[in-house]
């Protein structure tokens, strides 16, 4: 069995994964392919329109900010 991305053998490989309906691949090859295609969790970023990409950007910024714990109260001694 050969990797669908690099065509090297995946038999006995510790980082073998199954992709694209059952095809074998090396985990690093698969990750590289996702990064090069700009895919994150089945969202293909290159398919988004400019307005959709901007909306996603704002949503991500809002989520990151909401997870940052900031103390707004001032302690007086």
């Amino acid at each position: 069995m050969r990797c669908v991305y690099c065509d090297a053998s995946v038999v006995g490989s510790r980082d073998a994964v199954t992709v694209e309906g059952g095809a074998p691949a090396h985990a690093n090859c698969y990750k590289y392919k996702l990064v090069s295609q700009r895919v994150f969790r089945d969202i293909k970023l290159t398919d988004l329109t400019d307005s959709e990409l901007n909306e996603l950007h704002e949503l991500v910024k809002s989520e990151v900010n909401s997870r940052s714990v900031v103390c707004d109260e001032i302690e007086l001694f």
Side-chain angles (χ1 to χ4, degrees), residues 30 35 44-45 69:
Y30 178 64
V35 169
K44 195 168 185 181
L45 297 175
V69 178

Side-chain angles (χ1 to χ4, degrees), residues 37-46 48 56:
Q37 290 181 341
R38 294 185 294 247
V39 174
F40 180 77
R41 295 211 178 191
D42 298 328
I43 299 172
K44 195 168 185 181
L45 297 175
T46 55
L48 298 176
L56 178 61

